[in-house]
Amino acid sequence: NQSKAQAALSDIDEAFNNEDFDATDATATFHVSNMSCAVCTGSVERFLNSVRNEYSYVTNAVVSLPTNTAKVAFAPIDAVNAAEICSKEVYQQLAELCASTVTKGGYPTEILNVGSSSSEEGTSLLDSAARMEQSRRDELHGWKTLLLTSLLFTVPLAVIKMSRMRSENGALSDSNDGTVAELQDVTNGMTEMPPTPLDWTELLLATPVQFYVGARFYKSAYRGLIHGCTMGMDFLVALGTTSAYLYSVIVLVIQILCKYEMFGVHDISIMKLSTTFETGAMLITFVTLGKFLESYARGKTAGALQSLMELQPVSATRVILPTTLMEKLINLQNDLVGDEEIDYALAFEDANLNSIATEEKDIAEVQIGDFLLILPGGRIPTDGILVAREGTGKIKQPSLDSLDESDKTDHGGCAYIDESAFSGEPFPVAKRPGDSVYGASVNQLSVILIRVTATGSSTV
């Protein structure tokens, strides 16, 4: 569901919200392909954490398997002169080095965003959603093609093996003497001594599955071995299927030598051995089926993530504060004592929101501290706090101690926000000045004014 999808979407940023992460450092976000398990994410994290150049280095890296994304934090080597030597171009070069390192490790990587933690620059949410959807489709199509190819060869291979198993085993089990003549007597039900045409047919059917469908497992196993000697699931699949395939090939070779008495090989008991080409082919087929189903399930999550991203508005209506309001805010700022915060509701209590000047801005240009105007039925562009509401009975900041229960519930009217997109709550939530509102939620009944408190990936 969408709540689980939202949790998957924000897991990277939650991992960075710890005491070791310096919010002033630069960050970069990447899209990483070909990750299939926790071993893959661990390998990508090791690649990223090992990257550094003469000016800066990677201090932290977090990889998300559900979204195929990675986020890294950069820090300057010389913290004293960081402002002089660590420009955005330096971090851009380091991000390119990160992408190159991970790509060489077998996980194709591209840069989504490079910038400081305090500024959200780069691709929009819609661009990220489109990129994620395209990656999901490519991955699903790849596994579907491999699965169909594997089934095309494995099904007839299994049918051949099962159809001949009883008669072949029954005939060979009666031969205990080790002479060619007796073996031929007990194999009257067979067309000829092994290897038979059916053995060669099994070899021809198993080979494409082993080396075409299984090539993806071989490549992943090879990458794991040369980069950190990691033996993950793909290594085990490659090892098991290769063992079964090589055993069958060796049996065929020995049976050929025995059949034609080449190189002095005369042990007729070798003819009792049977090949196991179907074992490796069926194992690869079942693992590929599992990969396809996993990719399909992850596609559902990616689809939910894309739906969430598409709920985010691509533009916002920013308020151009008139001189009188600016002066009022400055006076309130000057009157603050200690850690007190400005009561923005007090500053805007007499403002006419319907006539205030506004301008349309791209969501990427919205900054913390901006005032945004949201019309009835409009989506809130980003996280913020409610400042004012236009309409009959404007909401004030009440003293709860002086109100009875009915006044606490209404008190002249509230702003109602539909937060069902991420909370699942079917009814609009009443909001008063100072209450938090969240991006992608829907304003219901009246014009409202909010002050931005978070943008981009910092939002809920």
Side-chain angles (χ1 to χ4, degrees):
N1 54 40
Q2 287 190 339
S3 61
K4 293 182 179 180
Q6 187 188 18
L9 182 63
S10 61
D11 61 351
I12 297 179
D13 298 300
E14 291 175 354
F16 273 81
N17 290 332
N18 55 60
E19 60 184 8
D20 296 328
F21 179 69
D22 185 357
T24 63
D25 288 344
T27 62
T29 307
F30 304 88
H31 180 270
V32 186
S33 304
N34 290 354
M35 294 191 300
S36 60
C37 60
V39 175
C40 297
T41 60
S43 298
V44 173
E45 287 185 0
R46 285 196 299 272
F47 293 147
L48 292 172
N49 283 320
S50 66
V51 175
R52 64 189 297 126
N53 59 20
E54 58 180 322
Y55 300 112
S56 58
Y57 64 100
V58 174
T59 60
N60 200 357
V62 175
V63 180
S64 173
L65 182 60
T67 58
N68 286 335
T69 53
K71 185 174 182 179
V72 301
F74 301 137
I77 294 178
D78 184 2
V80 177
N81 300 317
E84 300 177 2
I85 63 176
C86 289
S87 62
K88 183 176 180 180
E89 289 72 20
V90 171
Y91 288 125
Q92 179 69 33
Q93 294 174 3
L94 189 61
E96 293 174 355
L97 183 58
C98 288
S100 175
T101 301
V102 178
T103 300
K104 289 179 180 178
Y107 304 95
T109 304
E110 55 182 321
I111 302 172
L112 296 180
N113 175 47
V114 179
S116 64
S117 304
S118 58
S119 63
E120 297 295 333
E121 300 178 3
T123 57
S124 67
L125 288 176
L126 290 180
D127 292 335
S128 299
R131 194 188 304 271
M132 183 183 301
E133 178 66 13
Q134 184 60 42
S135 174
R136 180 192 71 84
R137 290 180 179 178
D138 293 341
E139 182 183 17
L140 186 62
H141 180 266
W143 285 117
K144 181 179 180 180
T145 301
L146 292 178
L147 176 61
L148 293 178
T149 303
S150 185
L151 288 173
L152 179 64
F153 291 99
T154 303
V155 171
L157 176 60
V159 170
I160 291 174
K161 189 65 176 181
M162 297 299 293
S163 64
R164 62 185 297 212
M165 186 178 295
R166 176 176 295 183
S167 59
E168 186 178 70
N169 290 343
L172 291 175
S173 63
D174 295 332
S175 175
N176 296 314
D177 195 13
T179 65
V180 178
E182 290 182 356
L183 182 61
Q184 290 175 336
D185 289 338
V186 298
T187 56
N188 291 330
M190 303 173 62
T191 57
E192 59 179 297
M193 293 172 57
T196 67
L198 289 179
D199 292 319
W200 295 110
T201 302
E202 291 181 4
L203 173 62
L204 293 176
L205 290 174
T207 300
V209 178
Q210 186 69 40
F211 298 107
Y212 174 72
V213 180
R216 194 160 184 169
F217 301 106
Y218 283 114
K219 292 178 181 178
S220 180
Y222 174 74
R223 291 193 302 262
L225 287 177
I226 65 174
H227 296 286
C229 293
T230 303
M231 299 181 185
M233 183 189 68
D234 292 334
F235 175 82
L236 297 177
V237 172
L239 179 63
T241 57
T242 303
S243 299
Y245 183 85
L246 288 180
Y247 166 80
S248 301
V249 172
I250 293 173
V251 168
L252 275 183
V253 172
I254 295 177
Q255 286 179 346
I256 293 173
L257 297 178
C258 182
K259 182 176 182 179
Y260 297 103
E261 299 185 1
M262 300 172 64
F263 302 105
V265 179
H266 301 288
D267 189 358
I268 304 302
S269 62
I270 295 295
M271 297 300 182
K272 296 181 181 180
L273 297 178
S274 60
T275 58
T276 57
F277 287 114
E278 80 288 347
T279 301
M282 293 181 69
L283 178 58
I284 289 177
T285 301
F286 281 119
V287 173
T288 304
L289 173 61
K291 292 288 189 178
F292 171 76
L293 295 178
E294 178 188 8
S295 179
Y296 181 79
R298 288 171 58 188
K300 292 292 185 180
T301 301
L305 291 173
Q306 184 182 18
S307 299
L308 282 175
M309 290 177 179
E310 289 177 346
L311 292 177
Q312 186 78 16
V314 296
S315 63
T317 303
R318 187 164 64 184
V319 171
I320 302 176
L321 296 179
T323 304
T324 53
L325 279 177
M326 290 292 294
E327 294 176 350
K328 197 171 185 179
L329 288 173
I330 294 174
N331 292 333
L332 290 174
Q333 177 70 37
N334 295 333
D335 294 339
L336 295 180
V337 178
D339 295 332
E340 291 183 353
E341 296 183 357
I342 296 179
D343 185 356
Y344 292 101
L346 180 62
F348 287 89
E349 63 179 351
D350 296 325
N352 184 0
L353 300 185
N354 289 318
S355 61
I356 199 168
T358 60
E359 59 180 351
E360 289 295 321
K361 288 292 183 179
D362 188 271
I363 190 65
E365 300 178 15
V366 175
Q367 299 179 356
I368 295 177
D370 286 347
F371 292 92
L372 304 182
L373 193 71
I374 297 94
L375 299 178
R379 289 195 180 274
I380 297 176
T382 187
D383 293 359
I385 58 172
L386 181 62
V387 172
R389 162 188 175 270
E390 184 62 48
T392 304
K394 289 184 182 179
I395 48 180
K396 307 287 186 181
Q397 192 76 309
S399 173
L400 297 182
D401 296 335
S402 63
L403 299 177
D404 57 26
E405 292 300 322
S406 61
D407 289 335
K408 291 179 184 179
T409 303
D410 191 3
H411 191 68
C414 295
Y416 290 92
I417 309 297
D418 180 2
E419 298 180 347
S420 60
F422 45 86
S423 68
E425 173 60 46
F427 300 105
V429 180
K431 299 287 186 177
R432 295 183 182 277
D435 289 345
S436 297
V437 294
Y438 306 104
S441 56
V442 182
N443 178 33
Q444 293 294 293
L445 302 176
S446 56
V447 180
I448 62 174
L449 182 70
I450 69 170
R451 182 179 181 271
V452 177
T453 57
T455 60
S457 60
S458 300
T459 60
V460 174

